[in-house]
Amino acid sequence: MHTGLLTCSPDTPLREAAERMASRRCSSILVLEHNVAVGIWTERDSLKLDLSTSASLDVPIRKVMSQPVRSLPQTTPVKEVEQWFRNHQCRHLLITDDNGLPAGMVSQTDIALKQGLEPYLGLRRVNDAMNTTPLVLPGIMSLAAAAGELLRHQQDAAVITCSAVQLGIITERDMVRVIARHAGNTPVGELASKPLFSVAPGDTLLHARDLMIDNQVRHLAVLENNKVVGLLGFREIINGVEYRYLKEMQQLLQERDQALNTSRLNLQLAERVIEASLESIVITDAENRIVFVNPSFTHTTGYSAEEVIGRTPAMLSSGRHDAAFYRDMWKTINERGYWRGEIWNRRKSGQLYLELLTITAIHDDDGHTTHFAALFTDITHIRENEDKIRRLAYYDPLTGLPNRRLLEDRLELAIRHANRNKQHLALIFLDLDHFKQVNDTLGHAAGDELLLDVSRRIRIRLREDDTLARLGGDEFIVLLPELNEPEEASRVAQRLIDTIAEPFKIGPHEFRIGCSLGVSLYPDDAGSAEQLLHQADAAMYQAKQEGRNDYRLFSKHMNHQQHKLLAMETALRYAVETGEGLSVHYQPQVRRDDRSLAGAEALARWHHPDFGPVSPAEFVPLAERAGLMVPLGMTLLNNVASQQRRWLDQGLIPVPVSVNLSAQQFWQHNLLVQFRLLLAEHRLPAGLIGIELTESVLLDKQQQAIPLLYGLRELGFSIAIDDFGTGYSSLSYLQDLPVDTLKIDRSFIQRQESRSSNAILAAVTGLARELDYKVVAEGVETEAQMKALTRYPVDLIQGYLTGRPVTADEFAERWLSKQTCRN
């Protein structure tokens, strides 16, 4: 296709159009109007002109152009274009782009030059395609007459006898060239192209076509015995093609090209897959010399292709495998044709790595080995990750100690070994005392560091064959196998207590903690791993119950105690859900000066039909362990609010009643909503319920506590700090928190003979007075204690001296009724 279109407008004079065609050596000119093809004027159209007058060349081209313009899209296959020329007897076609706009012209000559007929033309002869009746015109004939003869005989060229010895030729293209410059009566012999190139009838069409191309002519005379027997042009070459033969030839060529293209694509695909493969690939010849490696090989080993080509893979040998290993490997390859396994090799840097290797022998058609292909993957990290996963499954991630799963495996083995050798073994359950306070006060990072220090200290005190495991939190297990006598376990337990009791230093903080230990023995206490763990846990819990920082040996009594605790926990859970057996007692808080009632503290009581009255010292820790503090606290609050409502309905004047909130209850996300609903449900005015919190609830979250406490104050709840001075006291928070009352712990009241206790009382009460806080002295039991308090600014007294905790009815009878009468 010619993409450099020759175009003109419909009003272009014909002479100008012909001049442009002649100068550009084009066979056609496209007529465009507003970028739309409206006509075409070709060399053959020039034969239709009246050349007797020069005025015929001055008309606009629209009057002589051919229309409509035939066109095909540029995606049309060449074979369809050739067929289109054949069926429509047309010599020019407009080719349009995807938008329907002109993109180029294609002619029959283009098809002959570019269709790829060389194999066919090389087999065909000139006499099979030439025009056997050539048009021969005398040189004296006028140009106008010659044009008429060409048109009448439907020929695109004629032989001109210029003289007795010289022949020339005039073609349609010549007509376009000469009519624009010569008069119609000019003898055609003067205008003919000379010399006339010729071929013999027996020459191949391929030779004839190449002769036309080389000499830039479009026609050849066919001479036989120096006589013109025919004319051969591009049209005759095309028209002489046997369509069926051409189609078969094209199909064969297309199949060949497609096969070559497929083969090339497959080869490119294979190359790209090999290059992009994450597996390292090595190909060697039959002598095991490397001939190819892919980029992954370089990435894995560090060797470039230039460094390994021509060498053997033995250069990667790690030295970890002996000669027998390699002999067996090659024996398998020779027998089976492949080998697959894991092998250690060495990188260029000297680093060892583990690879999963597959070696395959490649054979030719005769079965001879020509190459070996090796594919391998670095699995070093996979093995390392498997080891990490194994450690995560069997070891504690913080301390690196065995976890419960590995401990149980070792314990089972130790039990079987002890049973076989008639020996004892011991299991020590160790729990740190007050570890939660360290976490809450110093933070979890300090807590983790403490656990690491504890594990290091314990391991130093154990034998090489002993096992130290961490169950989680601050719980550790020590397995002591092969004991000669049970007393050895007691000695180890005491050593562990002593080593934990030594001071710990975490950052700038130095402190001491203790630990509680429980010991169970095999076979004295149990015969299975599960029972030994359970009974050591029971003994540890007994040690905590009896004062902490000590150890206990398991006994059957402890087992009974554990069952009792489990039963009590179940009963407490039922009591919290139903309210059965739970009640509230009220202890008065009186003014120191006149001992008149100022308020009360609500204290939970639990009476069970089987266990009888259970002390708060027992069931409150039990509720903490069982996760029941929040529902127990809400039950207590609802009982107090309901009782206040009843006293109001009875016409009594109740006093503010304070209720202790646990940390779990205080830090609920919807605490304020619950308290607002509580007041609304019981229709209570503000000021009848107070909140008591210990310092440990507030210390580590002072900023978060401030809006909660202000929210409670806005609802009308007073706020007291209970047991002030017994925990990790911090005076800084007092200036930020909306506190109303400080309650001095009973330990300071009952030890007033101590100089330090008196100093603390003076400091706390003085501080409270400056901050405008009320002070409540708890645990006042004697008149002497009452009298001693007169030295300090104490506002309220709470204790057995002024009133024991009593039921709601007794409290109303003893206190509210009197107050009502007084008012």
Side-chain angles (χ1 to χ4, degrees), residues 43-52 135 137 141-158 160 170-172 174-176 178-179 184 186 188 191:
E43 296 168 341
R44 175 159 292 275
D45 293 329
S46 66
L47 302 179
K48 303 175 183 178
L49 298 175
D50 181 8
L51 300 180
S52 61
L135 180 61
L137 300 176
M141 181 178 286
S142 67
L143 176 62
E149 287 297 309
L150 285 172
L151 186 62
R152 185 166 64 85
H153 288 89
Q154 294 294 309
Q155 297 293 325
D156 57 358
I160 306 299
I170 190 165
T171 67
E172 293 176 349
D174 296 328
M175 299 299 291
V176 173
V178 300
I179 62 176
T186 304
V188 73
L191 306 176

Side-chain angles (χ1 to χ4, degrees), residues 215-499:
N215 293 280
Q216 297 186 358
V217 298
R218 304 174 69 188
H219 294 81
L220 297 173
V222 183
L223 297 181
E224 189 174 21
N225 300 325
N226 292 324
K227 182 181 178 181
V228 179
V229 295
L231 270 179
L232 183 69
F234 283 119
R235 183 173 63 178
E236 283 74 28
I237 292 177
I238 294 175
N239 291 338
V241 173
E242 296 179 7
Y243 179 72
R244 179 176 297 177
Y245 178 81
L246 177 61
K247 186 174 182 180
E248 292 177 358
M249 181 67 72
Q250 289 177 336
Q251 184 175 356
L252 289 174
L253 292 174
Q254 184 178 3
E255 291 176 356
R256 181 204 65 183
D257 292 343
Q258 185 175 357
L260 290 174
N261 188 49
T262 301
S263 177
R264 184 175 66 255
L265 289 176
N266 289 338
L267 182 59
Q268 291 176 349
L269 179 62
E271 290 176 350
R272 290 178 182 175
V273 169
I274 291 173
E275 289 181 358
S277 174
L278 297 179
E279 281 194 298
S280 301
I281 300 175
V282 182
I283 298 177
T284 70
D285 59 16
E287 284 72 36
N288 206 29
R289 290 188 298 267
I290 298 174
V291 297
F292 172 82
V293 294
N294 70 339
S296 180
F297 171 89
T298 299
H299 176 75
T300 301
T301 67
Y303 289 101
S304 65
E306 293 77 10
E307 292 175 301
V308 299
I309 297 297
R311 303 176 67 181
T312 68
M315 63 181 293
L316 302 174
S317 177
S318 65
R320 285 197 173 189
H321 306 286
D322 55 18
F325 173 85
Y326 293 105
R327 281 198 303 270
D328 292 340
M329 181 181 74
W330 284 107
K331 180 182 178 182
T332 302
I333 295 173
N334 293 330
E335 291 176 353
R336 300 182 181 179
Y338 73 95
W339 179 88
R340 181 178 177 84
E342 295 180 4
I343 186 171
W344 284 95
N345 272 336
R346 191 179 299 274
R347 308 184 206 275
K348 183 179 179 180
S349 63
Q351 180 187 19
L352 293 178
Y353 68 96
L354 181 65
E355 66 182 36
L356 180 62
L357 172 65
T358 301
I359 302 177
T360 304
I362 301 174
H363 305 94
D364 59 15
D365 294 338
D366 297 328
H368 299 123
T369 300
T370 60
H371 295 84
F372 294 99
L375 286 78
F376 64 88
T377 303
D378 184 354
I379 60 173
T380 309
H381 293 303
I382 295 177
R383 289 291 177 267
E384 291 174 351
N385 290 335
E386 288 176 354
D387 291 340
K388 290 179 181 178
I389 292 172
R390 192 176 296 110
R391 287 198 63 83
L392 289 174
Y394 290 100
Y395 292 88
D396 173 55
L398 174 63
T399 62
L401 298 175
N403 60 13
R404 177 185 286 272
R405 183 176 178 181
L406 182 54
L407 170 70
E408 290 174 349
D409 290 345
R410 292 186 180 180
L411 182 55
E412 293 284 356
L413 290 173
I415 289 174
R416 288 198 291 269
H417 184 76
N419 183 53
R420 185 167 55 251
N421 297 317
K422 306 302 180 184
Q423 292 179 317
H424 287 82
L425 67 82
L427 205 63
I428 302 178
F429 200 116
L430 185 151
D431 186 272
L432 301 181
D433 296 332
H434 306 297
F435 175 73
K436 185 177 183 301
Q437 275 188 314
V438 176
N439 254 349
D440 293 344
T441 306
L442 303 181
H444 290 281
D448 290 345
E449 188 64 34
L450 174 61
L451 292 174
L452 289 170
D453 283 351
V454 167
S455 65
R456 285 191 285 265
R457 289 189 184 184
I458 295 176
R459 274 185 292 196
I460 294 173
R461 298 287 186 171
L462 299 178
R463 301 171 300 178
E464 185 177 353
D465 293 337
D466 297 338
T467 294
L468 171 62
R470 182 185 177 217
L471 298 190
D474 59 341
E475 295 180 339
F476 296 85
I477 294 286
V478 177
L479 169 60
L480 304 175
E482 300 181 5
L483 295 180
N484 295 320
E485 55 183 13
E487 288 75 14
E488 290 184 41
S490 297
R491 290 194 289 271
V492 173
Q494 188 58 55
R495 285 203 306 267
L496 298 182
I497 291 174
D498 293 341
T499 192

Side-chain angles (χ1 to χ4, degrees), residues 10-63:
D11 297 323
T12 302
L14 182 57
R15 185 186 303 277
E16 180 183 339
E19 284 282 1
R20 292 168 62 182
M21 285 177 60
S23 63
R24 289 280 297 275
R25 301 181 64 85
C26 291
S27 60
S28 63
I29 187 169
L30 186 66
V31 183
L32 296 178
E33 187 172 22
H34 305 301
N35 288 329
V36 177
V38 296
I40 188 172
W41 194 71
T42 67
E43 296 168 341
R44 175 159 292 275
D45 293 329
S46 66
L47 302 179
K48 303 175 183 178
L49 298 175
D50 181 8
L51 300 180
S52 61
T53 172
S54 62
S56 62
L57 299 177
D58 297 326
V59 299
I61 197 171
R62 72 166 70 242
K63 293 189 176 181

